[in-house]
Amino acid sequence: MQPLHLISKRGEIMKKRLNDNAVFWLFVAPALFAFVMVVIIPFFMGIYYSMTDWTAVAGLKPKWVGFKNYKAMFSDIAIRYSFIRTFLFTLLSVVSINIVALTFAVLVTRDIRFRNFYRAGFFVPNLIGGLVLGYIWQFIFKSVIPAIGGLLGIEKLQNLLILSNPDLTLFGLVLAFTWQYAGYIMMIYVAALLNVPQELLEAAAIDGANFWQRLKAITIPMIAHAFTITTFLTLVNSFKQYDIIVALTNGGPTDMYKGQVVNSTELLAMHIYNVAFKYNRMAEGQARAIIFFLVLSVISIAQVYYNKKSEVEM
């Protein structure tokens, strides 16, 4: 039989744990309640509505149609084109944003004058809302670039109508999105670069390694964890891009794809919105949103797994 003082001490420990758990759940409960009400319940309701003929019209009870909306989606040429353009936009954005952000981060972590000013300047575009940013770049593409071409006497630049050419408009979107988001990603790289041991870099420099050799052999492997975070953020945000597109192109200009007229910059987020709210096909829009969620989840998980594996190899 255990002594009374040990039993009493164990009781006090159990009581403390219960109190700690109560405090923990007290603090978590509001956020958990909001998450369940705003995310979890609407998600499962969305799955249900995607299998009905729901139109969101008051008084009309939705009827069960099974996978009809999903079948209609897979036979729709417009969403195939939207998927292709979204993947292309995401690929270009992930590459350009991370290259620009890493370049900025390396620049502002070196011993140069006004580096704090540069950090703030590079980050400022991220504070501009997507709609305002889209209108800014619309003015640049429509007025500033042709004006510069006229001043320099470059006819091709003067007649460069980026927002009217389906082959160029997507690159204009990538440029605007990179300008906005690179500063934010730069800050993540800055935090990672500041944690690289300077002793390693100094030892490599003494051994004769130049800047590029130090960057490749020491810096990049040491900040591999940052690549996982930045690639995930740029990937997800590129897939979900909507506001810049609305302000800059509103989905246009039109293009031809397999004999059908399509909008060249109507990426998936805008396509789903248009189907649901513009054409009032709410159930179809919800079905496409579910597939969008599944595709993005699979790609994101695969990206994180691959990057984590690369971190170990480095």
Side-chain angles (χ1 to χ4, degrees):
M1 187 174 179
Q2 294 182 347
L4 291 176
H5 71 279
L6 291 179
I7 297 175
S8 177
K9 187 175 182 180
R10 182 175 296 179
E12 291 177 1
I13 293 173
M14 291 296 293
K15 186 177 180 180
K16 186 176 182 303
R17 287 181 179 176
L18 289 174
N19 290 334
D20 290 343
N21 288 335
V23 172
F24 171 78
W25 286 111
L26 182 64
F27 278 97
V28 169
L32 185 62
F33 175 78
F35 180 74
V36 171
M37 296 300 294
V38 177
V39 178
I40 300 299
I41 293 177
F43 176 77
F44 285 103
M45 288 177 64
I47 294 176
Y48 165 74
Y49 282 124
S50 70
M51 297 185 180
T52 66
D53 63 351
W54 177 50
T55 59
V57 176
L60 291 180
K61 186 177 180 180
K63 297 179 182 178
W64 184 265
V65 296
F67 291 98
K68 181 181 177 180
N69 295 320
Y70 292 92
K71 293 178 182 178
M73 177 189 65
F74 287 116
S75 62
D76 187 2
I77 292 177
I79 195 171
R80 296 183 199 172
Y81 182 81
S82 184
F83 259 108
I84 293 171
R85 300 293 280 184
T86 303
F87 275 106
L88 180 59
F89 172 79
T90 300
L91 177 63
L92 294 173
S93 296
V94 168
V95 173
S96 63
I97 289 173
N98 280 281
I99 290 176
V100 172
L102 183 59
T103 302
F104 286 169
V106 171
L107 174 66
V108 300
T109 52
R110 302 191 73 183
D111 189 17
I112 59 173
R113 296 181 63 186
F114 308 115
R115 61 181 180 181
N116 289 331
F117 173 79
Y118 293 141
R119 289 182 187 180
F122 293 147
F123 185 77
V124 164
N126 187 67
L127 303 177
I128 303 174
L131 291 174
V132 176
L133 183 139
Y135 291 128
I136 291 173
W137 278 94
Q138 188 180 87
F139 171 73
I140 292 173
F141 289 140
K142 287 185 176 181
S143 302
V144 176
I145 292 178
I148 293 174
L151 290 173
L152 298 178
I154 304 175
E155 186 176 351
K156 287 185 177 181
L157 192 63
Q158 188 176 0
N159 299 324
L160 186 63
L161 302 176
I162 295 177
L163 300 183
S164 301
N165 189 334
D167 297 325
L168 296 177
T169 308
L170 196 68
F171 294 98
L173 286 176
V174 172
L175 179 60
F177 186 47
T178 301
W179 186 77
Q180 180 195 34
Y181 206 54
Y184 176 76
I185 299 300
M186 175 200 71
M187 300 306 294
I188 299 174
Y189 283 127
V190 167
L193 289 170
L194 292 177
N195 286 321
V196 176
Q198 293 300 310
E199 297 81 4
L200 292 177
L201 298 174
E202 292 172 2
I206 292 172
D207 289 338
N210 59 34
F211 171 78
W212 296 109
Q213 290 172 329
R214 296 196 301 271
L215 182 67
K216 180 181 178 181
I218 298 176
T219 304
I220 291 180
M222 293 291 292
I223 64 171
H225 60 285
F227 287 111
T228 302
I229 300 170
T230 56
T231 305
F232 173 80
L233 291 174
T234 50
L235 179 71
V236 172
N237 281 284
S238 297
F239 259 99
K240 298 189 301 180
Q241 191 54 239
Y242 177 80
D243 51 356
I244 292 178
I245 301 171
V246 171
L248 191 57
T249 66
N250 199 27
T254 57
D255 196 7
M256 293 296 296
Y257 179 72
K258 294 187 177 181
Q260 180 173 320
V261 178
V262 291
N263 292 319
S264 60
T265 59
E266 187 183 77
L267 304 188
L268 280 172
M270 174 175 276
H271 174 82
I272 292 168
Y273 176 87
N274 288 340
V275 169
F277 295 98
K278 186 176 180 180
Y279 306 122
N280 197 32
R281 290 148 52 189
M282 302 294 291
E284 285 188 37
Q286 184 60 48
R288 296 171 194 224
I290 296 296
I291 296 300
F292 181 32
F293 167 78
L294 294 175
V295 170
L296 183 55
S297 297
V298 170
I299 293 175
S300 300
I301 293 171
Q303 174 265 316
V304 172
Y305 172 79
Y306 175 78
N307 278 60
K308 287 289 185 182
K309 188 176 179 182
S310 299
E311 287 181 32
V312 175
E313 292 175 355
M314 284 186 178

